[in-house]
Amino acid sequence: MRRARTWLPGLLLVAPSIVAIGVFVYGMLGWNFRLAMTDKHDEVSEGKFVGLDNFAGIWDLPRWHLSVNHAIMFTVVFVLGALVLGWFLAFLMEKGIRGEGTFRAIYLFPMAISFVATGIVWRWLMNSGMGERAVGLNRLFDAIGLPQWQWFRDPDWGMAAMALPAIWQMSGYVMALFLAGFRGVPEELREAARVDGCGEWGVYRHVVLPLLRPVTLSALIILGHISLKVFDLIVAVSGKQIITDVPAVFMWVAVFDSHDPAKGATIASYIVLSVAIFVIPYLVWSVRKERRS
Amino acid sequence: MMRRRWTTTVAITLASVLTLAACGGSGGGQGAQPSSGGGDAKKQVEVFSWWTGPGEADGLKAMRQIFEQKNPSYTFFDAAVAGGSGDKAKALLQSKLQADTPPDTFQGHAGAELQGYIKAGDLEDLNFLYDELKLRDVFPAQLVDQISVQGKVYSVPVNIHRSNVLWFNPSVLKEAGIAGAPKTLEEFVADLGKVKAKGKIPLSIGSEWTVTHLLESVLLGSLGTDAYNALFKPGADWSSPQVTKALETFKTILSYAGDPQDDWQPAAKQVADGEAAFNIMGDWAYGYFHNPPEGGLGKTSKTDFDWAPSPGTEGTYLWLSDSFTLPKGAKNRDGAVAWLKVAASKEGQDAFNPKKGSIPARKDADQSLYTDYLADALKDWSSDKLAGSIQHGVSVNQPWLAAITEAVGLFIGSKDVAALQKALADAAKANAQ
């Protein structure tokens, strides 16, 4: 009885969320995977179990290859861009410039905006009109003598342009993460390194950066999972067009336009799995670390 | 001390459970709220549409007034969801239908777009209404034929739009030495070349769906009306050399297209502004060209912009239509039927269409209400042969359209006619019925 008193209140407290997450997250995930393994290719049929046929079959679709390639290009540009820019901003900030608080707020503000609002503004900024028809960035580039671009309508590099609004929005957040990381490096360690004859660059190279590894890893995972399931930004900028197709948009089209639940569920499963590649090693790593300490 | 912790725990647990329950409750109750307060005993009729833009919302309001006059015992509940051609509305409708909580009546493009709903058993057939109101006599026979599924009609068409309209800028044409609108696709290609030589955009296009829209006009112009209509019959042959020729022409025409604009409006605007010569778009563009600013460009017809049937399609009306349905399990079936009666009536259609910028589906409309472009359209509608639009849901059902959209989207990147034709043929094989 006495023992129950120690664990039961805690369990009761978390029980509602365990139940809710169990049903609405893991239950739905399981249901989705089950649906992906059936041949329910319209809303009315029952759907027989077909194993992994859908998962293999989807690789025959040219559109799937296109959307996966797009997602990879978007992810690489977005994650690297946001990490580098965020790190650089934090590096500058860490040097103790005047009005740091103001700058921090300015860089963080874009995060308060939804991807949809960002997308609508950047759709105009990245308008592909050139010459006399140029608006947004192309008009600006024209005025200062830079070349004009097709932006997200470029057949080869469109998705790299699509990553720009995402970088703009998330790099402030990465800056905040890194800034906290920089501040977490004890001054004694830097001093010790300097005493041992390290230059300023050496201090960063050998002391600060290694200590920032956990922060970098968290940032990578946060950005990576946002990037792989990106939907709202793409739809706000370009709608459901093939030229900017990504798996999440393809999933929406499969479910609501093609009326093919099994195909939609298959794409959804692939999105979850691709995110899991990022998240699970991180979870394993952090659990191990907790145990060690 | 211990006891207090216990009560706190129980209280918090209860509170969180209640919050969850409350969230669930408010979500489910949405849309069932009576639109008018005051506790009157009026029954409401939930009318689901995607008419929220200028023109269309005014038309809906005009029809609503007639409905409320004729049916004082019902209140009209406007469940409109914004978004061009109903993208978002259709997604929401899908979830409502799957949850068996349909609106009392919903808007859908007449024709094959409704097939999915019919197959899923979501719709009641409306033969009883067509018999009661003798609608088969007032709608063109070809129209009723093209929206019937195995002898049954499932919707009431409110308006008719035309898809195969070539919009052009007369002064740009003059500058390029083009006498008038091209009559055939060959002339059209030649004219596109002449405009290009003058350094203007020969043909303006918008986002990818406007290219599918262009494709249907080119297919119709190249194949002719009967061969075009045959494409949507079971066992139709999309691999024929005639289709190959049409798609090759499509590729040629597309090579004269300007940079894709964000949507159809900016593309149409290029014509109105004299930057581009031609644009192929449905006749909703007329309202955009003609209406005063805020909602339109305020241009003068025949001088700033002009129109003709798209090349090679004269004498054929490539039509689409908005229609209303009767979902099975509607809460207020009688109210929905009363709405359908207004939507089918001459009075309702003549109130709605001049505002929306379309013509009525009925043959007995009051002609004096339709002027300028709409007068032309009304004249053609009564004499032309009919062909059903692809992009706007008449000839193909939703999965088929999704497959065509995808094929065209990939084609814009690859310009591979063989791949396009194969994808179109596969889509037909998978979906024609």
Side-chain angles (χ1 to χ4, degrees):
Chain A
M1 191 61 206
R2 198 168 182 88
R3 289 183 91 185
R5 277 192 181 175
T6 54
W7 58 262
L8 197 59
L11 183 67
L12 275 180
L13 262 178
V14 292
S17 58
I18 288 181
V19 170
I21 290 175
V23 172
F24 293 108
V25 176
Y26 293 98
M28 297 289 174
L29 265 179
W31 183 81
N32 178 71
F33 275 103
R34 213 195 61 191
L35 181 60
M37 287 188 226
T38 66
D39 63 350
K40 189 174 163 62
H41 292 300
D42 57 60
E43 277 112 359
V44 282
S45 64
E46 278 303 317
K48 287 193 306 292
F49 182 80
V50 293
L52 295 174
D53 282 7
N54 293 327
F55 287 88
I58 200 163
W59 292 97
D60 296 335
L61 306 176
R63 179 176 183 168
W64 175 245
H65 288 269
L66 196 71
S67 67
V68 168
N69 288 345
H70 283 166
I72 291 172
M73 186 189 288
F74 180 86
T75 301
V76 169
V77 176
F78 166 53
V79 172
L80 282 182
L83 277 181
V84 170
L85 191 62
W87 185 88
F88 184 67
L89 289 174
F91 174 75
L92 294 180
M93 210 71 90
E94 205 247 340
K95 293 277 146 205
I97 50 166
R98 203 183 298 166
E100 188 202 311
T102 318
F103 279 111
R104 216 167 40 201
I106 289 175
Y107 290 133
L108 260 176
F109 262 139
M111 235 195 77
I113 304 170
S114 77
F115 262 140
V116 173
T118 306
I120 286 169
V121 173
W122 279 81
R123 177 174 67 193
W124 178 81
L125 284 174
M126 297 197 293
N127 190 298
S128 59
M130 295 186 192
E132 284 173 21
R133 284 184 292 280
V135 292
L137 288 175
N138 269 356
R139 163 88 55 102
L140 177 73
F141 280 23
D142 193 29
I144 58 178
L146 287 172
Q148 298 178 325
W149 304 94
Q150 290 250 299
W151 301 106
F152 65 89
R153 290 189 200 284
D154 187 284
D156 299 321
W157 297 101
M159 288 313 286
M162 191 61 96
L164 294 179
I167 295 173
W168 174 81
Q169 176 147 354
M170 294 306 290
S171 54
Y173 174 64
V174 177
M175 175 206 72
L177 284 179
F178 275 126
L179 199 54
F182 278 129
R183 297 275 147 85
V185 178
E187 195 53 36
E188 293 82 15
L189 281 182
R190 298 182 189 216
E191 269 168 21
R194 282 187 198 115
V195 169
D196 284 348
C198 248
E200 197 56 27
W201 177 242
V203 171
Y204 276 95
R205 171 82 182 74
H206 298 291
V207 178
V208 179
L209 282 185
L211 284 168
L212 281 182
R213 216 172 279 153
V215 180
T216 316
L217 196 61
S218 333
L220 190 75
I221 283 146
I222 291 164
L223 296 177
H225 93 275
I226 291 176
S227 171
L228 287 169
K229 58 186 193 194
V230 64
F231 173 80
D232 36 8
L233 177 72
I234 311 275
V235 169
V237 172
S238 118
K240 303 184 296 190
Q241 304 192 79
I242 302 277
I243 194 160
T244 54
D245 201 41
V246 290
V249 175
F250 191 9
M251 173 185 75
W252 162 273
V253 170
V255 174
F256 289 109
D257 294 349
S258 302
H259 295 267
D260 188 340
K263 190 175 172 188
T266 308
I267 300 170
S269 307
Y270 268 121
I271 297 175
V272 169
L273 290 174
S274 67
V275 172
I277 290 173
F278 268 86
V279 174
I280 288 175
Y282 174 70
L283 289 179
V284 170
W285 175 77
S286 59
V287 165
R288 264 201 212 135
K289 209 179 76 172
E290 260 167 41
R291 242 185 240 147
R292 236 181 285 142
S293 57
Chain B
M1 190 60 202
M2 212 55 172
R3 179 166 297 160
R4 183 185 283 170
R5 211 163 88 193
W6 258 102
T7 36
T8 322
T9 312
V10 171
I12 293 175
T13 314
L14 267 178
S16 52
V17 168
L18 284 175
T19 321
L20 271 178
C23 290
S26 71
Q30 223 175 38
Q33 302 296 321
S35 58
S36 63
D40 48 11
K42 282 183 172 183
K43 280 184 81 180
Q44 66 156 4
V45 183
E46 185 183 349
V47 177
F48 185 95
S49 74
W50 55 84
W51 286 329
T52 55
E56 51 191 30
D58 304 327
L60 183 62
K61 209 170 128 200
M63 221 165 20
R64 168 192 186 154
Q65 277 162 358
I66 296 174
F67 173 75
E68 287 180 336
Q69 259 167 28
K70 287 195 171 176
N71 302 284
S73 57
Y74 295 125
T75 53
F76 178 98
F77 179 70
D78 186 1
V81 177
S85 78
D87 260 3
K88 296 174 191 87
K90 280 179 214 162
L92 177 63
L93 179 64
Q94 195 60 40
S95 4
K96 283 187 161 227
L97 289 174
Q98 290 203 340
D100 285 325
T101 53
D104 293 319
T105 176
F106 64 84
Q107 176 191 0
H109 287 129
E113 184 180 294
L114 300 176
Q115 262 176 20
Y117 305 127
I118 296 169
K119 222 164 64 181
D122 290 329
L123 294 182
E124 246 185 82
D125 82 76
L126 293 173
N127 280 9
F128 73 93
L129 194 71
Y130 274 64
D131 293 339
E132 187 190 328
L133 302 175
K134 308 219 175 331
L135 292 179
R136 286 175 207 278
D137 301 334
V138 293
F139 292 142
Q142 241 191 318
L143 171 71
V144 176
D145 183 44
Q146 288 182 357
I147 64 174
S148 294
V149 180
Q150 287 159 356
K152 289 179 181 165
V153 191
Y154 289 87
S155 69
V156 172
V158 184
N159 65 352
I160 299 292
H161 273 300
R162 186 176 196 169
S163 158
N164 59 327
V165 186
L166 176 73
W167 304 95
F168 56 93
N169 187 311
S171 44
V172 176
L173 260 58
K174 210 167 149 197
E175 198 184 312
I178 301 166
K183 298 267 184 220
T184 65
L185 285 168
E186 289 74 33
E187 278 178 49
F188 186 41
V189 171
D191 289 351
L192 290 172
K194 286 181 202 167
V195 178
K196 193 174 185 186
K198 290 281 167 198
K200 299 264 181 174
I201 301 168
L203 176 73
S204 65
I205 55 166
S207 48
E208 284 171 5
W209 75 263
T210 68
V211 180
T212 310
H213 184 106
L214 173 67
L215 172 67
E216 70 183 32
S217 269
V218 174
L219 278 176
L220 178 65
S222 180
L223 297 170
T225 312
D226 295 337
Y228 173 88
N229 281 334
L231 286 178
F232 310 102
K233 300 266 158 40
D237 184 14
W238 284 74
S239 329
S240 69
Q242 286 85 354
V243 174
T244 314
K245 181 168 170 267
L247 296 179
E248 289 288 353
T249 311
F250 175 60
K251 183 182 170 184
T252 312
I253 291 172
L254 212 51
S255 70
Y256 288 103
D259 286 332
Q261 303 297 300
D262 278 341
D263 206 341
W264 68 269
Q265 290 99 335
K269 188 167 184 293
Q270 291 184 323
V271 171
D273 291 348
E275 290 175 10
F278 297 104
N279 179 237
I280 290 183
M281 185 37 60
D283 60 6
W284 45 90
Y286 172 74
Y288 179 66
F289 283 127
H290 182 264
N291 291 348
E294 303 300 317
L297 297 170
K299 299 283 181 184
T300 318
S301 65
K302 303 284 178 192
T303 51
D304 294 333
F305 70 99
D306 204 348
W307 59 85
S310 66
T313 68
E314 195 166 348
T316 302
Y317 210 98
L318 188 56
W319 67 276
L320 59 127
S321 163
D322 295 302
S323 67
F324 280 98
T325 58
L326 184 59
K328 278 186 191 159
K331 282 191 297 294
N332 185 357
R333 185 178 178 277
D334 294 343
V337 171
W339 168 255
L340 292 178
K341 284 182 179 168
V342 172
S345 69
K346 179 170 179 305
E347 197 188 353
Q349 301 209 345
D350 274 343
F352 175 76
N353 284 298
K355 293 211 162 74
K356 162 92 162 106
S358 46
I359 59 168
R362 295 174 67 106
K363 292 183 289 187
D364 56 356
D366 179 356
Q367 304 220 349
S368 66
L369 293 170
Y370 302 91
T371 55
D372 206 22
Y373 167 78
L374 291 177
D376 275 12
L378 208 55
K379 197 174 90 233
D380 289 350
W381 174 246
S382 61
S383 58
D384 278 5
K385 284 204 259 185
L386 301 190
S389 160
I390 296 173
Q391 168 64 29
H392 308 284
V394 180
S395 295
V396 298
N397 57 29
Q398 293 186 38
W400 193 348
L401 174 59
I404 293 176
T405 309
E406 184 175 309
V408 171
L410 291 169
F411 173 77
I412 294 171
S414 70
K415 300 287 189 310
D416 182 346
V417 169
L420 173 62
Q421 186 165 15
K422 183 174 178 301
L424 292 175
D426 289 348
K429 227 170 274 158
N431 293 293
Q433 49 200 326

